[in-house]
Amino acid sequence: MTTRLAASAPATAPAPATAPAPATAPGAPVSGSVRFARFAYAPNERGLCGPEAGGALFEAGLGRLPGPELRELASGFEAAWPWLGLLAESTGRPDPLDAALVDAYWIGSPLAGAVRPRRLDEHLRHAFAPRLRRPTAASRRLEGLAEDMPVHHSSHVLRVMPLIGLIRSGLRPDLLELMGRCLVRPGRVVAVEEDALTVEARGLEERAGRLALGPVRLEEVAWRIGGRSFVEGIEPGELVAIHWNWAADRLTPGEARALAAVTGRNLAAART
């Protein structure tokens, strides 16, 4: 049996009276800063992480925000920016918005394993221990996380969020549902409608106290606001990255495999 989930679009972004051509050609490579904005946009518009950006991140995802302004916005993301900084430090790359680092964090690549466990442990304690609701007990759960933990968004969602919750609101009763929405997942497009895509994807669920991805199901995800989109020209059969019920970007088959692999690795190590 398939389950259809209603698309939940982020807050509306400013749009011109007539929609312009996309800032980047469908499927064309984009810079690390633009790709960061595409993945950061949906949770930011929901008020869940990062500074209040209005429609600026949407414009950035279209490639229409000057670099210094986007960098200032990106540096206000309390989770993603420190993780990217850690990757930059560990790989000797000066720019946290280097395209390879952004891809490693949001999608997955060998660079996600570049941080030494001791340095990663220091980062976890410095960045997140102060946010723990019960510091003494929960701090013990931070111990050992750095072993075999890639620096990847799914690492934060599956292994850190159960301890600290959402950055802005802390732990909530519906945390599992929110984790499922926050987790970046690959989806294969089945149908394209005006503002929503029907995709085949796997959702996050809990089985006997363990986190797991469920069976493939049909979901509806938003992909266009005011006639503009990060995945302009998308067609059935293509792959997209789903983040907070939003089609954040196209994925190549290799990227989809990398994302599934690193997510599976973190699911195997996650503790609820």
Side-chain angles (χ1 to χ4, degrees):
M1 182 176 68
T2 58
T3 303
R4 183 177 294 272
L5 301 183
S8 175
T12 55
T18 57
T24 56
V30 296
S31 68
S33 57
V34 168
R35 197 162 223 194
F36 176 89
R38 290 181 175 184
F39 281 89
Y41 164 66
N44 182 262
E45 283 295 294
R46 288 169 169 80
L48 298 172
C49 75
E52 294 184 8
L57 276 173
F58 189 82
E59 296 302 317
L62 296 171
R64 294 191 174 93
L65 189 71
E69 293 182 33
L70 176 53
R71 181 172 298 276
E72 182 177 357
L73 287 176
S75 67
F77 278 78
E78 303 93 330
W81 185 255
W83 284 123
L84 286 168
L86 184 63
L87 276 176
E89 169 198 309
S90 299
T91 59
R93 296 170 184 251
D95 184 7
L97 293 179
D98 181 292
L101 301 184
V102 172
D103 285 354
Y105 178 73
W106 289 113
I107 296 169
S109 80
L111 286 180
V115 183
R116 294 179 181 274
R118 179 175 294 181
R119 181 65 185 92
L120 181 52
D121 182 69
E122 291 173 356
H123 175 78
L124 287 165
R125 293 181 180 280
H126 174 75
F128 303 117
R131 300 179 184 275
L132 299 173
R133 288 181 63 189
R134 294 183 295 171
T136 301
S139 289
R140 287 196 290 268
R141 297 186 68 187
L142 283 175
E143 295 177 4
L145 278 188
E147 295 295 333
D148 193 36
M149 181 175 173
V151 176
H152 185 260
H153 182 66
S154 66
S155 307
H156 183 84
V157 173
L158 298 171
R159 302 170 74 172
V160 178
M161 272 181 64
L163 300 178
I164 69 168
L166 294 169
I167 289 292
R168 288 193 186 177
S169 60
L171 292 169
R172 292 168 48 169
D174 56 347
L175 184 58
L176 179 64
E177 179 184 353
L178 294 172
M179 288 168 63
R181 293 182 183 180
C182 189
L183 191 67
V184 177
R185 299 170 294 129
R188 185 173 297 278
V189 178
V190 174
V192 180
E193 299 174 10
E194 183 176 358
D195 295 320
L197 303 174
T198 301
V199 301
E200 294 178 333
R202 301 174 67 191
L204 185 67
E205 59 185 41
E206 187 174 7
R207 300 178 194 160
R210 300 288 299 184
L211 295 173
L213 292 178
V216 174
R217 64 186 183 182
L218 293 181
E219 299 182 26
E220 285 186 355
V221 298
W223 75 286
R224 182 186 282 168
I225 295 176
R228 301 190 295 171
S229 170
F230 300 158
V231 293
E232 199 61 51
I234 197 75
E235 296 182 354
E238 290 192 76
L239 295 161
V240 294
I242 305 165
H243 194 208
W244 287 99
N245 299 99
W246 170 252
D249 210 347
R250 282 176 166 84
L251 292 177
T252 66
E255 288 174 331
R257 287 192 296 269
L259 178 57
V262 72
T263 301
R265 179 177 167 187
N266 280 312
L267 280 168
R271 294 172 287 184
T272 58

